[in-house]
Amino acid sequence: METKFKSSDDQLKQLVAERRQEVVRLQKSQAEQIEKANKSGQTRMDQLKKSLPQDVVTFLDNQEKTHKEEQAAIESYTAEAKTSLSSIEVSPENITSIHPGLVEGHLLSDSTNALALGWYSPYYATLHGSNGAVYWQGYNPGNFDLSDSANGSGSGLFGSGSASFTVYLDWWFTFKAPENRNYAHTIQVPFHGYYIIKADDGFWDSKEAKARIDLSAVGYQYNYKATGSSNVFDMGSQNINVNDRFDGYRTMYYSDLLGADQAYLRVTASFYVYARGGGSTAQLNFSDGNANYIGVPWVYIV
């Protein structure tokens, strides 16, 4: 997806292009690591079978049918879980339609802090898909539909039968720093969706599923500042069967030293899933149904 930039946004255009190249490298590296793990795992499995008694090899080969049946059963399992999770109403404390800066009916603003620049919404955004493509890119981003899933296969022994993906969602904020000093950023990102994580590890196999969501922030003015990060969700195990909603604002804090000039802030939400072995699945879904999406984040700068 190609978007025209405003003539005044040469710096932003460069930053977005550099970030795109970085994400491509990250996703390519992840894909290569998974491919390497699968090939190495299969090679080790083939070598192991050569040293085992024939009856044990026959048993392991017969187990492959079970792994394929478990892998096929995931589709109906997740469909049932999705229906159940989509019907659950968001609890009042996790509703994000109310501005995060609203306190007792009043918006936290410059009047409460003489140094505050106030609240900012994203100027630009890019949604990098797990398949390496750009799903959306442009100015004044709204809500995003986003999902990421990985399904394992086979026995999972020695790391074989693995799958993993990471989706990156970048928001760019820009503002004019009025003076030379440190600036503090309170970042609020709204989530509405759910997760499904399942793996059933046994004696003759090695299965696992996990999912993770991270927030990160990095400032730019003349050069990149230090990067800050915050994990907001991390769950997984070799024996796990969980599914639940993931709603509400998640907050992280970031600060950097700026001069009196134009400044940029990139906020990223990354969505990682991993599954190994037949019947294992890890899914993050902020897409299916009207109630599931990633909302528009806010940044309060002081």
Side-chain angles (χ1 to χ4, degrees):
M1 178 179 180
E2 187 174 349
T3 301
K4 290 185 177 180
F5 285 84
K6 299 175 183 178
S7 58
S8 58
D9 280 337
D10 286 345
Q11 181 63 77
L12 177 63
K13 181 179 180 180
Q14 179 182 339
L15 294 175
V16 170
E18 291 173 351
R19 171 59 175 170
R20 178 62 192 150
Q21 292 174 359
E22 179 185 19
V23 170
V24 168
R25 289 194 299 269
L26 290 171
Q27 291 181 320
K28 182 180 178 181
S29 175
Q30 183 176 356
E32 289 174 346
Q33 288 175 8
I34 284 294
E35 183 180 7
K36 182 178 179 180
N38 284 326
K39 288 182 178 179
S40 174
Q42 189 58 54
T43 298
R44 292 182 64 185
M45 192 66 193
D46 293 341
Q47 292 173 343
L48 176 63
K49 286 181 177 180
K50 292 179 181 179
S51 64
L52 293 174
Q54 185 56 46
D55 58 337
V56 176
V57 173
T58 300
F59 174 79
L60 291 174
D61 289 341
N62 290 337
Q63 285 293 101
E64 286 300 318
K65 180 181 178 181
T66 301
H67 301 319
K68 290 180 180 178
E69 290 174 347
E70 293 175 341
Q71 185 177 351
I74 279 298
E75 186 173 343
S76 59
Y77 167 83
T78 55
E80 183 179 344
K82 287 179 179 180
T83 300
S84 175
L85 293 167
S86 295
S87 65
I88 300 174
E89 292 187 6
V90 178
S91 56
E93 65 271 18
N94 287 326
I95 292 176
T96 61
S97 57
I98 301 173
H99 195 289
L102 201 65
V103 179
E104 296 182 352
H106 299 283
L107 186 64
L108 183 67
S109 63
D110 297 3
S111 61
T112 62
N113 189 328
L115 295 177
L117 274 67
W119 289 96
Y120 289 81
S121 58
Y123 182 66
Y124 196 88
T126 303
L127 174 57
H128 309 265
S130 60
N131 66 350
V134 173
Y135 288 169
W136 191 93
Q137 182 168 292
Y139 290 97
N140 304 314
N143 296 335
F144 281 99
D145 289 333
L146 179 156
S147 62
D148 199 11
S149 64
N151 295 315
S153 61
S155 68
L157 289 169
F158 305 118
S160 62
S162 300
S164 77
F165 300 96
T166 302
V167 169
Y168 297 89
L169 176 52
D170 294 332
W171 293 281
W172 293 89
F173 299 79
T174 184
F175 60 96
K176 182 67 175 291
E179 57 184 315
N180 302 339
R181 62 175 174 85
N182 277 299
Y183 289 82
H185 309 71
T186 300
I187 302 164
Q188 304 269 13
V189 180
F191 295 86
H192 286 296
Y194 54 84
Y195 57 86
I196 300 172
I197 308 172
K198 186 178 188 297
D200 185 10
D201 187 54
F203 184 80
W204 295 100
D205 51 50
S206 178
K207 301 183 179 182
E208 185 179 10
K210 53 188 174 182
R212 179 183 176 102
I213 303 174
D214 291 286
L215 295 178
S216 65
V218 59
Y220 182 91
Q221 190 187 64
Y222 317 130
N223 52 54
Y224 279 106
K225 310 298 180 180
T227 300
S229 61
S230 175
N231 172 250
V232 296
F233 177 79
D234 192 354
M235 186 176 294
S237 176
Q238 290 185 303
N239 285 287
I240 190 171
N241 186 358
V242 297
N243 56 79
D244 202 353
R245 290 203 59 83
F246 188 82
D247 294 295
Y249 281 106
R250 296 300 186 273
T251 305
M252 74 166 292
Y253 302 95
Y254 178 78
S255 64
D256 56 1
L257 178 63
L258 300 172
D261 203 348
Q262 196 72 24
Y264 298 88
L265 175 73
R266 189 190 76 222
V267 175
T268 298
S270 62
F271 304 81
Y272 168 79
V273 289
Y274 171 87
R276 185 181 70 246
S280 300
T281 188
Q283 304 186 25
L284 295 169
N285 194 311
F286 299 88
S287 176
D288 292 341
N290 295 330
N292 299 314
Y293 58 91
I294 304 296
V296 179
W298 290 93
V299 175
Y300 184 64
I301 304 175
V302 177

